[in-house]
Amino acid sequence: MFCNQCEQTVKGIACTKIGVCGKNDEVAGLEDLLTHAVQGLSLVAHAGRQVGVVDNRVDRFTCEAIFSCLTNVDFDPARFETLIREAITLRDELRAKVEAAGGTVTSSAAALSFSPADSLAGLEDQGKALDFIPGLDANEDLRSLKQIIMYGLRGLAAYTDHAAILGKEDDAVYAFIHEAMAAITSKMELNDLVAMALKTGEVNVKAMELLDAGNTGTYGHPVPTEVPLGHIPGKCILVTGHDLKDLDMLLKQTEGKGITIYTHGEMLPCHGYPELKKYPHFYGHYGTAWQNQQKEMPEFPGAILFTTNCIQKPADSYKDNVFTTGLVGWPDVAHVEGSGEKDFSAVIDRALALDGFTDKVDNGSVMVGFARNAVLGVADKVIGAVKAKAIRHFFLVGGCDGAKPGRNYYTELVEKVPEDCMVLTLACGKFRFFDKKLGDIGGIPRLLDVGQCNDAYSAVQIAVALAGAFDCEVNDLPLSLVLSWYEQKAVVILLSLFSLGIKDIRLGPSLPAFITPNVLNVLVENFNIMPISTPDEDLKAILG
């Protein structure tokens, strides 16, 4: 096992025995083997596009398979076996179509001829023997760039899958995913790899735009909404992950059943969507970020539904209450199948069988719903406040949360941001400070929750609009990005920001283990990316 794709990797180098996320050696090998198999499929799909052979089933599967390898998504060996075998079946079927159309697959990559073992145990052995990461390239700098691309593709595939679930697709996105997966099987020069990494970010901007269109087109543009943090008496279901459609289906299926629906983690922003907040039994938010679920979920007296990534090993005390759906999975945890309309009756039955909350608790509330439409709706006030010097600076403080020490930096930074500055936030990194009462400037809250991690698209649109209003570049705005990262969605968002030419980003709590000093120098020289230091030092450097 060699896994260094997340921020919490052991000693800042790699997990080699068991993942900090809970991934064991067998699952790590199966993830590598699936990635290897998908590389072979992508080689064929890329060749197919050269002769007009395009298969949407292959495109959708490719994203699902790549997404399944993102941190904290799927820990179930049996599900990986199914994906690996399907990848090979699709590869061979598509290759026959490509060759029939006069196309050829010229690569000599081993992924093209990979044949899976007959048993799960055999697949696990193949995965261990693959030595996947070291095999990407003998040159550590080129290997580093290939890893950046591959991990970026995992984030890109996740957003592309989220968008496709809501009916938003773009063949150019699928084409690039296949092209990039195929390309990293070959020898590439440093400059070409840097260009492909930036292209990954550029294409991800399109994928986030598609997802934004899917979310807002289906559920309306988020509006400022106050969300209770306590609970009320009654049966209950907790929904975590990122998928709005799963939540919507569950809300419809629980109407009139006396069940209250609560969000957890990155589902918090769902309370701001008009077509979701209209349900009277959609009540409040329970808990904080993903890494606290093993502390918080044993106390939740209802059923728990995981819709996408961020699952941890469920403890025996609440394992029977947990259900997964979509691509997320854990061995011996009930899974709700379905790729379209789903039947959540098992989740509902479990909620009805449990005690639910027996009391009412008021833990205050937080405000959500400050996506681009809401913020740009008061843009004139914001611009006026900046010109009047009532607002001195904007801070975008967000990204992934995690358990590794050092993340209290973000709490302290937000607490120390001067009162004439505003803080925008998104993703689960906000849970370090989301309930802070920072007051307002001219009636505009100083802390604005833009949404989920994919709502980085909204944040960028806000920045672009402000730059237009002040007739300057985004990099010239009184705006500083202070980001935290944990997994591969954060990697691709960072690449997206680079592709847009955004500079001076502060990143923490530690830099990725897969970035070599030489590759880091390239990023520093071109984008002036820098590690966080201390809140006081960074605020002094930013504000002077």
Side-chain angles (χ1 to χ4, degrees), residues 155-156 158-160 162-163 166 204-216 222 241-244 266-267 269-270 273 308-309 371-372 399-400 425-428 430 450-461 487 489-490 492-493 496:
L156 169 57
Y159 292 135
T160 304
H162 289 320
L166 292 170
N204 187 63
V205 174
K206 179 61 180 177
M208 289 193 295
E209 181 184 4
L210 289 169
L211 179 52
D212 178 87
N215 285 337
T216 59
H242 301 78
D243 197 291
L244 274 62
E266 286 229 56
M267 297 301 282
C270 296
Y273 286 90
T308 52
N309 54 306
R372 70 181 188 282
C400 305
T425 189
L426 49 79
C428 63
K430 70 168 133 282
V450 179
Q452 295 183 336
C453 55
N454 51 280
D455 289 313
Y457 175 79
S458 256
V460 167
Q461 295 306 308
E487 40 90 319
K489 286 180 177 177
V492 80
I493 288 174
S496 294

Side-chain angles (χ1 to χ4, degrees), residues 36 52 54 74-75 96 123 126 265 319 346 376 411 416 427 446 528:
H36 182 62
V54 179
D74 196 350
F75 295 79
L123 290 174
Q126 285 181 315
K319 184 177 180 180
L376 296 180
T411 309
K416 290 184 174 182
R446 286 186 56 229
N528 196 33

Side-chain angles (χ1 to χ4, degrees), residues 98-296:
V98 172
E99 291 173 348
T104 57
V105 186
T106 57
S107 172
S108 59
L112 272 175
S113 57
F114 164 64
S115 179
D118 293 335
S119 65
L120 176 57
L123 290 174
E124 290 172 348
D125 288 340
Q126 285 181 315
K128 292 176 183 177
L130 188 59
D131 203 23
F132 183 70
I133 296 299
L136 286 172
D137 205 290
N139 181 295
E140 65 173 7
D141 293 327
L142 300 182
R143 182 168 65 248
S144 174
L145 284 163
K146 286 187 175 183
Q147 285 185 265
I148 292 171
I149 294 166
M150 184 174 69
Y151 298 151
L153 288 171
R154 288 181 180 175
L156 169 57
Y159 292 135
T160 304
D161 182 64
H162 289 320
I165 287 170
L166 292 170
K168 298 296 182 180
E169 300 178 80
D170 186 327
D171 188 66
V173 175
Y174 292 131
F176 174 76
I177 291 172
H178 289 303
E179 177 189 359
M181 284 293 286
I184 59 176
T185 67
S186 63
K187 289 289 183 182
M188 297 179 69
E189 297 300 321
L190 187 140
N191 288 340
D192 293 332
L193 286 167
V194 170
M196 181 158 280
L198 293 177
K199 181 71 172 179
T200 303
E202 178 186 330
V203 174
N204 187 63
V205 174
K206 179 61 180 177
M208 289 193 295
E209 181 184 4
L210 289 169
L211 179 52
D212 178 87
N215 285 337
T216 59
T218 307
Y219 304 111
H221 283 276
V223 296
T225 302
E226 190 171 2
V227 183
L229 297 178
H231 59 256
I232 56 177
K235 308 290 185 177
C236 49
I237 297 174
L238 186 64
V239 184
T240 190
H242 301 78
D243 197 291
L244 274 62
K245 186 173 181 179
D246 284 334
L247 174 61
D248 183 31
M249 287 187 283
L250 182 67
L251 286 166
K252 288 175 181 173
Q253 292 176 35
T254 49
E255 281 188 289
K257 296 185 182 295
I259 297 174
T260 303
I261 306 298
Y262 297 83
T263 54
H264 176 272
E266 286 229 56
M267 297 301 282
L268 170 62
C270 296
H271 290 275
Y273 286 90
E275 289 302 308
L276 296 175
K277 65 179 293 184
K278 69 182 183 181
Y279 293 95
H281 62 300
F282 187 30
Y283 176 69
H285 187 78
Y286 176 91
T288 52
W290 66 270
Q291 79 277 0
N292 298 320
Q293 63 190 257
Q294 291 173 329
K295 299 175 185 176
E296 296 167 349

